[in-house]
Structures are given as structure tokens and as C-alpha cells.
Amino acid sequence: MIGTSASFRWLRRFLLTGLAVFAATPVLVMLSSSLKPLQDVQGPFRWIPSTLTLRPYLDIWHTVPLGRYLVNSLIVAGGSTVCSVLVAVLAGYAVSRYRFRGRRLFTVTVLSTQMFPGILFLLPLFLIFVNVGNATGVALYGSRGGLILTYLTFSLPFSIWMLVGYFDSVPRDLDEAALVDGCGPVRALVRIIVPAALPGIVAVAVYAFMTAWGEVLFASVLTDDRTRTLAVGLQGYATLGDVYWNQVMAASLVVSVPVVAGFLLLQRFLVAGLTAGAVK
């Protein structure tokens, strides 16, 4: 038994080390390439640069308006995350706690929208945004607000479905105790249920943010030069004459910092939110 246990531990260490090396290799390639002059990047690859330079990290802000793209991405991803969480919490709580006609149909319909590829919605959303702008003067096409509404169509179905399952795992005795203490349904939700369901809400927030942060197709069609996001703006480092690979790698590392930092800070809540519904 001891020999088997030791063998399993060594096998686990070997597999985890292999996975870590596999995951870290692209990041190390990006880091090495971002510290090289462009001519070195275009030549045969070398892990250790012959000439170390931080110039690409300075040039990325001038070759393209990276700062504006970063602000646009933060606003769009943050706005869609906040809206998705608010709507999903209210809808998930209503579906979990109340019994009404069409409840099951609503749940199935919400989840079934995930079956369709996103590209099917591109042309209809484009036409809707243009026609709404022409009819009302509300600029949805080429605006950050329009992109936030677009991303809600992707993140909300899964967010609602996930929170319904999580709210179902929260004991209903908490609702009843809050009502006995004089809380209304909304106050009970805000003061009692939301804190108890915080891991699940954080998991939904991370999912919504990541969905909006890295999306390319809709951002490339529904934005203009003023509202372009990072996922599309990084293409600006490729010109007709050349591709600034060292700046592409440097910019990719820089824009990954907010996402990686946020994920590390919320990792504990994310893991708990994704697993709690299965074990409670």
C-alpha cells in the first residue's frame, strides 16, 4: 500500500509538472520575444535574447492607441459584468424561489440559447442597432453601450442557469427566517441570500467578464476607431509592410495583467462557486 501510494504521488507530480511546463512555455516565448528587437524576433528563435531591450514596452503605447483600447475594454467588460450579475441574480432568485406558470419553459429556453453559434446573431444585431439609431437617434452601433448589450446576450443565459442551481442549494430556511424578522423579499435577497451565494455570484461575474474581455467577432463589426477594444485593437500592430511581433507580445503580456490579477484574487471564490452546487 505504501509503495502504491508513493508511486501515485510521483506520477501525480510528473503529470502536474508536465502540464505546468506545457502551460508556461507559450508565456515564456512571449516574454522572450517581447524583450528582443524586431530583427531578432524575425530571425531564428532563441530563448535568451542576444540583445535585451525594453523598447517594445514603450512603443506599444504609440504604435496604436493601446491606452484607449484598454479603457474601452475595461468599460465594456466591466459594464457587461455588472449588468449580467444584477439581472442574473434577480432572475435566478425568482426562478429558484417562486413557482409560476412557464417557469420550466423559461429555464429551458434560456439555456437552449447557448446551443446556437454567436455568428447567427451578428447580422440581426447589426441591423437592429442601425435601425434603432436611425429611428430614435440612440447610437448603439459603434458605441460601448451597444457592445455591452451584445455581450449580455451571451453571458446572461448561462449566468441565470448557473445561479438558479446555486440558489437552489441555499437553504430556504434562510428566506423564512429573514421574512420572520420583518424583511421583504428584496431585502432578504440583498442581506441574506446574496452573501450566502457570494461564491456563485463571483463565478458568474468572472465568466461574464472573460466572455466580454476576449471577444473578437462582434467587437470588430460593432465598434469603430473610437470604441475599439483590445481584442480588435491588437491587430493594429500588423501593417501592410510589417508585423511588429515584439510589440504584439509585449502588448499581450501587458493587457493580460488585469485579468490574471483579478483571477488570482477571486480564485478562491471561483472554485467554491463552481463546485458548491454539486456538494451542498
Side-chain angles (χ1 to χ4, degrees), residues 123-148:
L123 182 58
L125 283 174
F126 174 80
L127 295 177
I128 290 173
F129 286 177
V130 172
N131 290 329
V132 168
N134 293 335
T136 65
V138 178
L140 293 178
Y141 172 74
S143 68
R144 290 180 293 217
L147 203 57
I148 291 174

Side-chain angles (χ1 to χ4, degrees), residues 163-185:
L163 283 183
V164 168
Y166 198 91
F167 285 142
D168 285 342
S169 68
V170 176
R172 296 178 180 270
D173 295 341
L174 295 177
D175 303 63
E176 297 174 359
L179 294 176
V180 170
D181 290 340
C183 294

Side-chain angles (χ1 to χ4, degrees), residues 53-247:
T53 178
L54 294 176
R55 190 69 192 176
Y57 287 91
L58 301 177
D59 292 339
I60 58 176
W61 306 99
H62 307 291
T63 304
V64 301
L66 187 65
R68 185 172 70 213
Y69 298 157
L70 179 60
V71 171
N72 289 336
S73 290
L74 289 174
I75 293 175
V76 170
S80 63
T81 299
V82 171
C83 295
S84 181
V85 168
L86 288 176
V87 176
V89 166
L90 296 175
Y93 181 74
V95 173
S96 173
R97 290 299 193 263
Y98 297 99
R99 297 296 179 264
F100 52 88
R101 180 173 298 180
R103 173 180 175 274
R104 184 174 181 81
L105 177 62
F106 171 79
T107 305
V108 173
T109 303
V110 166
L111 189 59
S112 65
T113 58
Q114 299 293 93
M115 299 171 54
F116 301 97
I119 194 172
L120 291 179
F121 302 100
L122 181 58
L123 182 58
L125 283 174
F126 174 80
L127 295 177
I128 290 173
F129 286 177
V130 172
N131 290 329
V132 168
N134 293 335
T136 65
V138 178
L140 293 178
Y141 172 74
S143 68
R144 290 180 293 217
L147 203 57
I148 291 174
L149 289 176
T150 300
Y151 291 152
L152 283 178
T153 63
F154 302 129
S155 60
L156 265 182
F158 180 78
S159 299
I160 293 174
W161 176 78
M162 182 175 179
L163 283 183
V164 168
Y166 198 91
F167 285 142
D168 285 342
S169 68
V170 176
R172 296 178 180 270
D173 295 341
L174 295 177
D175 303 63
E176 297 174 359
L179 294 176
V180 170
D181 290 340
C183 294
V186 176
R187 191 177 179 186
L189 170 63
V190 174
R191 299 190 60 181
I192 305 299
I193 306 302
V194 167
L198 186 59
I201 295 173
V202 171
V204 166
V206 172
Y207 166 77
F209 186 88
M210 295 301 298
T211 299
W213 183 263
E215 202 279 326
V216 176
L217 177 62
F218 287 82
S220 63
V221 175
L222 300 178
T223 60
D224 52 24
D225 293 336
R226 181 179 55 86
T227 58
R228 191 161 294 159
T229 59
L230 281 172
V232 181
L234 291 178
Q235 300 175 8
Y237 293 107
T239 64
L240 294 177
D242 211 342
V243 179
Y244 300 103
W245 288 111
N246 54 347
Q247 295 187 39

Side-chain angles (χ1 to χ4, degrees), residues 24-60 243-253:
T25 298
V27 179
L28 295 176
V29 171
M30 293 171 61
L31 179 61
S32 175
S33 300
S34 68
L35 296 173
K36 298 177 182 178
L38 182 59
Q39 59 270 20
D40 290 355
V41 180
Q42 293 174 335
F45 178 76
R46 298 175 58 182
W47 283 102
I48 301 177
S50 58
T51 303
L52 286 173
T53 178
L54 294 176
R55 190 69 192 176
Y57 287 91
L58 301 177
D59 292 339
I60 58 176
V243 179
Y244 300 103
W245 288 111
N246 54 347
Q247 295 187 39
V248 172
M249 301 302 175
S252 300
L253 290 173

